[in-house]
Each structure stands twice: as structure tokens, then as C-alpha cells.
Amino acid sequence: MRVFSNVENSLGNTMKVRMVARKQFDNFFLEFQQYIAKYLKHSAVVKCNSAAWDLDIRDVQPGEAVLLMDFQMNFSHKYKGTIQLEHWACTQTTLFPCIVYLNINEQIERWAINIVSNDQLHSNAFVSHATNKVLKYIEQFTTLHHLTIWTDGCGSQFKCKRQFLKISQMNMKVRHRFFASGHGKGPSD
């Protein structure tokens, strides 16, 4: 139930404010308990994810690689001062950065490999193609026998049957990890 009330501000002016009828304390407390239970579970997952990520990039062994992959927002090709019609009809390019952690000569190195394409679908086929390109590039410098991939949980890009089929067909041990929802921001972003 909405109620209007006159409220005086710090300057002495009276304003009409819409107030929302308050719920009973018991109802509020029950809803709060349910919310806190969900939050605590999510918080525990985030802490576990963070610890696993830190361990993965800190303890990269020779012959191992850790990939962090995600699509960035498309790059729009436009010049300064474009009119509105040109703004919405401009050419775009897909940016797919891959951050690679490798152990080269007992030194952990971080490489940024950017895949640039005119493919606008952001599909798993693109992810598969980009991953192949990155792995071919890495294998110029070292032979891999173990790969850890970190991504967000987007179903059409990373968390789908095609991705798991590809992983199962690789000639090395592969582990695909997913960041908790809303917490996958990293160096690739």
C-alpha cells in the first residue's frame, strides 16, 4: 500500500514523499535469512574460485599453461564526431583476448594474445578456432602436456557440449574451470 506523507527537509522545506507500507518484522527477517543463505553460498564459491585461480597461476610447471579467455565488447570503427546514423551502423570487430601463463626456463611468464576477427557471432566455433591458434603459437616455444582454461560460464561459448567434446579430443590433460557468476573479470577484460 502506497501512502503519501509530508516530510520536512533540513532546510525547513516541506516535501510530499511517497512512502511504501512496511512489512512486518517477521516477514522481513525471513526474507533476509533466505537472501543471506544464498549470498553466503555464493561468497564461499567466489573464495574457492579465487584461491584456485591464485594457485593455478602461481604454480605453473614446465610443460603446463593456464589460459584466461573471454570475449571483449566489440570494437566499433567510427571517427570522432559521427552522426547518430553512422554511430549505430558502424563496422565492428570482435576482440578475443587470451592471457597465457607459462613456465619458460623456470620463470612464469604472462603473455597477452589477442584474436581479432570480423566474426560477430561469439560462438563456440569461434572459441575453438581461437584456442587452436593460441595453442599452435604456444607450441612454437614449449611442448604442452597440461592445460588449464579459465573462462566465464557462458553456455553458448564455453559451457556447452561442443567445448567439452573438443577438450576430450585434445592430446594433453585439459582442465576447464569457470569463474563464479559475476566474478570473471581479469587481465583479459
Side-chain angles (χ1 to χ4, degrees), residues 76-87:
S76 297
H77 302 271
K78 58 187 174 192
Y79 58 89
K80 190 174 181 179
T82 59
I83 61 174
Q84 186 174 10
L85 177 64
E86 291 172 339
H87 173 77

Side-chain angles (χ1 to χ4, degrees), residues 6-101:
N6 292 327
V7 176
E8 189 174 305
N9 66 13
S10 60
L11 299 174
N13 300 327
T14 303
M15 302 181 306
K16 194 171 194 175
V17 177
R18 184 171 63 177
M19 306 287 283
V20 177
R22 297 180 182 193
K23 293 182 179 181
Q24 292 180 351
F25 179 76
D26 293 341
N27 290 342
F28 167 77
F29 191 67
L30 286 174
E31 285 181 19
F32 183 72
Q33 281 182 319
Q34 292 169 351
Y35 173 79
I36 281 296
K38 289 178 186 176
Y39 171 76
L40 291 175
K41 180 180 176 186
H42 178 78
S43 179
V45 168
V46 168
K47 287 179 183 177
C48 184
N49 252 186
S50 182
W53 167 254
D54 290 341
L55 185 66
D56 279 352
I57 63 172
R58 186 178 55 232
D59 294 337
V60 178
Q61 299 299 314
E64 295 181 1
V66 177
L67 296 183
L68 171 63
M69 303 186 301
D70 195 9
F71 286 94
Q72 278 190 343
M73 197 163 125
N74 288 346
F75 176 77
S76 297
H77 302 271
K78 58 187 174 192
Y79 58 89
K80 190 174 181 179
T82 59
I83 61 174
Q84 186 174 10
L85 177 64
E86 291 172 339
H87 173 77
W88 296 112
C90 65
T91 303
Q92 293 189 339
T93 300
T94 294
L95 303 174
F96 187 75
C98 298
I99 307 301
V100 181
Y101 294 86

Side-chain angles (χ1 to χ4, degrees), residues 121-159:
L121 297 178
H122 293 205
S123 65
N124 180 259
F126 183 90
V127 170
S128 180
H129 180 74
T131 305
N132 287 339
K133 293 283 187 188
V134 169
L135 292 176
K136 282 181 184 175
Y137 181 74
I138 292 170
E139 290 186 351
Q140 294 175 15
F141 303 95
T142 186
T143 302
L144 292 178
H145 59 80
H146 185 264
L147 177 66
T148 302
I149 302 171
W150 279 87
T151 63
D152 61 14
C154 181
S156 64
Q157 297 166 357
F158 305 112
K159 219 178 212 184

